[in-house]
Amino acid sequence: MRFRSARPRLVATALLTMAVLPISGPPGAAGPTPEPPEAQTVRIPLHDVATSRAAVREVHSEKAFELVGFTWRGPAPDRIEVRTRTSEGWSSWTPLEAEEGGSEPMWTGRSNDVQVRADERGQDVTDRLQFIGIDPGEQAAAPKASTPVAGAPPVVTRAQWGADESKMTWPVERTTTKAAVVHHTAGTNGYTCGESAKIVRGIYQYHAVELGWGDIGYHALVDKCGTVFEGRTGGLAGEVIGGHVRGFNDHTFGISMMGNHDGVTPASQTIRSVANVAAWKLKTKGVPAEGTTRLVSKAPQGSKYPAGTEVTLPTIFGHRDAGHTACPGKRGYDQLGAIRSQASEAQLSTQP
């Protein structure tokens, strides 16, 4: 689960204007920026929904959604599982990792119906949840990656994937990059690469608006075709704190593989793109891809590393190395050696 510590929002227009570090494409390459697609959200408190004898609550939304999540107040449930209904019937149950205030989001594809079960210490707590269903909207044309930052791998910029910048209310917070953290978005692998931009818009809506972070937590996202999407505002062009790993958001660059890599190995093109982005970003600060670094946790008590703990970690590490999580999934974690090796090769190949 990605995590951004709660803090008061700063909404001063002047501060936001000064803080944003947008990436712009090559002059004349993209033409006028189109209006971003309008994302729409359905919110349904589950205490208003009947529960079955099996402690399952079924939600029907008149408006179709494509990405779901659940929010709550108070302690996180020990377990949340969800499934959706399609034309072929109910999908299999999928676990969602839970954190403070909300679950991770899950891409479902178009659906109107969802079932959820959740418990804490064996007791049903579905009545504490609020269902979030997001329709990310459609773009007129699929975005194409460009190279807006010299030396960086090609990326689909925020403007290209359709970020509604009026929802970006988290001013840039500067940092110095010492390591890259590899994640997966979890949920499902059942998407086409033509849907990737929609998934990114859905995650942005969920992080920025529904969880109240004010922006997407990751600095970069990589789909199963190896396409890289720009995440956190200013996170590629500059060095900006993201919201992706409890206690270690400072000094780290978050890259998330789009899909669930617990039982499915990331595609070779995904591994290559993750390695290339990590290699480039770390090299801008003179950080070797196969080195180690020391980071100090800023997490609250109860985290894997309480605040003030100094930890030595690889300069490319997995989310689970710093937190109580399965992220980036067992098969994703198994590929960290390949990512480091390919990133190191990429750094050497770009030596002057």
Side-chain angles (χ1 to χ4, degrees):
M1 176 65 191
R2 284 65 54 200
F3 182 82
R4 179 198 167 199
S5 299
R7 69 189 70 206
R9 289 190 185 180
L10 301 177
V11 295
T13 303
L15 178 57
L16 288 175
T17 303
M18 292 172 63
V20 173
L21 296 174
I23 289 181
S24 56
T33 302
E35 287 295 317
E38 183 180 357
Q40 298 185 29
T41 302
V42 176
R43 304 176 185 91
I44 301 176
L46 294 195
H47 60 68
D48 295 336
V49 177
T51 182
S52 72
R53 291 183 179 180
V56 173
R57 295 192 192 240
E58 182 173 327
V59 178
H60 174 76
S61 171
E62 293 297 330
K63 179 168 180 55
F65 51 82
E66 297 191 78
L67 182 140
V68 302
F70 296 88
T71 59
W72 54 83
R73 293 184 178 180
D78 297 329
R79 178 189 66 137
I80 302 177
E81 293 182 321
V82 64
R83 64 179 182 175
T84 57
R85 186 180 358 230
T86 67
S87 58
E88 300 177 355
W90 287 102
S91 66
S92 58
W93 287 101
T94 300
L96 300 182
E97 287 197 23
E99 255 289 4
E100 185 178 306
S103 73
E104 62 191 355
M106 184 181 88
W107 179 255
T108 63
R110 203 153 189 83
S111 181
N112 293 81
D113 299 280
V114 64
Q115 289 184 341
V116 61
R117 54 194 184 193
D119 59 66
E120 183 181 355
R121 298 179 181 178
Q123 298 297 311
D124 172 35
V125 293
T126 51
D127 63 327
R128 288 178 19 207
L129 308 185
Q130 177 175 236
F131 165 75
I132 305 294
I134 296 174
D135 175 2
E138 299 286 345
Q139 285 180 299
K144 295 183 178 180
S146 60
T147 309
V149 178
V155 300
V156 176
T157 67
R158 289 171 66 94
Q160 289 168 330
W161 58 254
D164 181 348
E165 298 297 1
S166 69
K167 297 175 180 176
M168 206 300 287
T169 59
W170 181 7
V172 165
E173 297 175 90
R174 310 286 181 173
T175 188
T176 301
T177 303
K178 296 182 178 179
V181 186
V182 179
H183 302 260
H184 70 168
T185 59
T188 180
N189 302 300
Y191 68 90
T192 68
C193 291
E195 294 175 311
S196 297
K198 288 205 297 184
I199 297 174
V200 176
R201 290 198 302 277
I203 295 173
Y204 174 52
Q205 174 76 12
Y206 189 70
H207 283 186
V209 179
E210 306 310 324
L211 296 183
W213 296 358
D215 201 356
I216 196 166
Y218 306 119
H219 296 88
L221 301 93
V222 182
D223 73 8
K224 60 186 178 182
C225 291
T227 302
V228 181
F229 293 81
E230 178 188 10
R232 173 77 166 113
T233 296
L236 288 179
E239 293 180 276
V240 175
I241 293 175
H244 58 102
V245 52
R246 177 191 283 258
F248 295 92
N249 286 319
D250 199 5
H251 301 303
T252 61
F253 180 81
I255 309 169
S256 191
M257 301 180 289
M258 295 167 62
N260 188 328
H261 298 300
D262 190 36
V264 176
T265 300
S268 58
Q269 51 266 49
T270 301
I271 297 301
R272 172 59 65 184
S273 290
V274 171
N276 286 343
V277 172
W280 165 74
K281 190 65 181 181
L282 294 178
K283 189 173 181 180
T284 63
K285 302 308 295 181
V287 176
E290 292 189 296
T292 60
T293 189
R294 292 182 179 180
L295 300 173
V296 177
S297 174
K298 295 184 178 180
Q301 295 295 321
S303 297
K304 186 173 183 179
Y305 296 106
T309 306
E310 184 177 76
V311 185
T312 299
L313 291 163
T315 52
I316 299 177
F317 65 90
H319 186 182
R320 68 168 63 177
D321 291 324
H324 296 298
T325 176
C327 182
K330 182 182 184 306
R331 298 290 181 87
Y333 192 82
D334 288 346
Q335 294 301 307
L336 287 181
I339 290 172
R340 294 186 189 108
S341 177
Q342 292 183 30
S344 182
E345 292 174 2
Q347 287 185 331
L348 291 173
S349 67
T350 56
Q351 291 285 357

